[in-house]
């Protein structure tokens, strides 16, 4: 599917890049911004994985999500054609968001309900989860901005929305099941 014999092509030196269908667009085009944010999210998840214990089952979960994020990027870089047949292009599927929902349900079982908002932090892994969650939310906003202008697979927004929820829950899991969560105290410093 992918064959890279050279890393630099010089074709982007004038500030343009090619979409999956060959169309040249500026590098700050909303579609490029959207899949660029997804790429950044994937890199943050790579850092998060490095802060998990080597035997953590969450490594496998996050590895699958990183693979899904490449699917999201592939989906976004190829504008849907009006006559596109089902299965003609790699598109995010409802089952991918459903897997995230199942993981959320599994992870949340051991957590106490929240009685306050929590501040990003606690353990290093939890802090990376929170950073990934905020980057995920930005990616979601970038996709929504794109969708106002051009056709976008709605499953992409759904996937990113679920993923940010999962990252919030995983942050709590990484904080000793929520025991080390840092709670927001409204008006604490007034």
């Amino acid at each position: 599917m992918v064959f890279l014999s050279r890393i630099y092509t010089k074709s982007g030196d004038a500030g343009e890049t090619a979409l999956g269908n060959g169309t040249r667009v500026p590098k700050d085009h909303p579609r490029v911004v959207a899949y660029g944010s997804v790429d950044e999210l994937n890199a943050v998840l790579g850092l998060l994985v490095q802060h998990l214990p080597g035997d953590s089952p969450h490594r496998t979960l996050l590895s699958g999500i990183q693979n899904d994020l490449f699917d999201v990027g592939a989906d976004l870089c190829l504008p849907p054609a009006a006559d596109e047949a089902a299965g003609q292009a790699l598109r995010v599927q409802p089952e991918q968001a459903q897997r995230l929902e199942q993981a959320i349900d599994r992870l949340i079982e051991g957590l106490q309900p929240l009685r306050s908002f929590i501040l990003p932090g606690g353990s290093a892994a939890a802090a990376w989860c929170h950073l990934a969650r905020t980057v995920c939310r930005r990616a979601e906003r970038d996709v929504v901005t794109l969708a106002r202008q051009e056709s976008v697979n709605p499953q992409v927004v759904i996937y990113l929305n679920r993923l940010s929820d999962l990252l919030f829950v995983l942050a709590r899991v990484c904080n000793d099941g929520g025991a080390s969560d840092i709670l927001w105290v409204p008006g604490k410093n007034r």
Side-chain angles (χ1 to χ4, degrees), residues 48-75:
L48 166 58
V49 168
Q50 296 310 305
H51 285 85
L52 294 172
D55 61 347
S56 172
H58 309 310
R59 285 176 169 261
T60 301
L61 171 65
L62 291 169
S63 175
I65 290 168
Q66 286 189 284
N67 199 77
D68 281 349
L69 288 174
F70 262 82
D71 291 352
V72 170
D75 192 322

Side-chain angles (χ1 to χ4, degrees), residues 11-79:
S11 64
D13 290 353
E16 290 188 342
T17 191
L19 298 178
N21 62 5
T23 303
R24 305 272 318 158
V25 296
K27 289 187 176 187
D28 62 352
H29 184 282
R31 188 169 291 279
V32 178
V33 170
Y35 66 73
S37 291
V38 170
D39 188 33
E40 181 182 353
L41 170 59
N42 210 337
V44 173
L45 291 181
L47 287 166
L48 166 58
V49 168
Q50 296 310 305
H51 285 85
L52 294 172
D55 61 347
S56 172
H58 309 310
R59 285 176 169 261
T60 301
L61 171 65
L62 291 169
S63 175
I65 290 168
Q66 286 189 284
N67 199 77
D68 281 349
L69 288 174
F70 262 82
D71 291 352
V72 170
D75 192 322
L76 288 170
C77 88
L78 183 62

Side-chain angles (χ1 to χ4, degrees), residues 118-119 121-123 126-127 130 170-182:
I118 60 174
L119 302 178
S123 70
H130 283 294
L170 187 57
R172 295 199 66 217
V173 169
C174 290
N175 269 342
D176 300 317
S180 299
D181 284 341
I182 303 167

Side-chain angles (χ1 to χ4, degrees), residues 104-115:
I104 291 168
D105 292 343
R106 189 174 58 253
L107 291 170
I108 208 166
E109 284 179 3
L111 299 176
Q112 293 296 316
L114 282 173
R115 303 209 189 298

Side-chain angles (χ1 to χ4, degrees), residues 94-138:
E95 296 79 21
Q96 289 171 284
Q98 289 166 359
R99 280 195 304 275
L100 296 179
E101 291 170 0
Q102 291 166 356
I104 291 168
D105 292 343
R106 189 174 58 253
L107 291 170
I108 208 166
E109 284 179 3
L111 299 176
Q112 293 296 316
L114 282 173
R115 303 209 189 298
S116 174
F117 289 109
I118 60 174
L119 302 178
S123 70
W128 280 108
C129 285
H130 283 294
L131 180 60
R133 174 186 54 80
T134 63
V135 173
C136 186
R137 285 289 188 206
R138 179 167 33 87

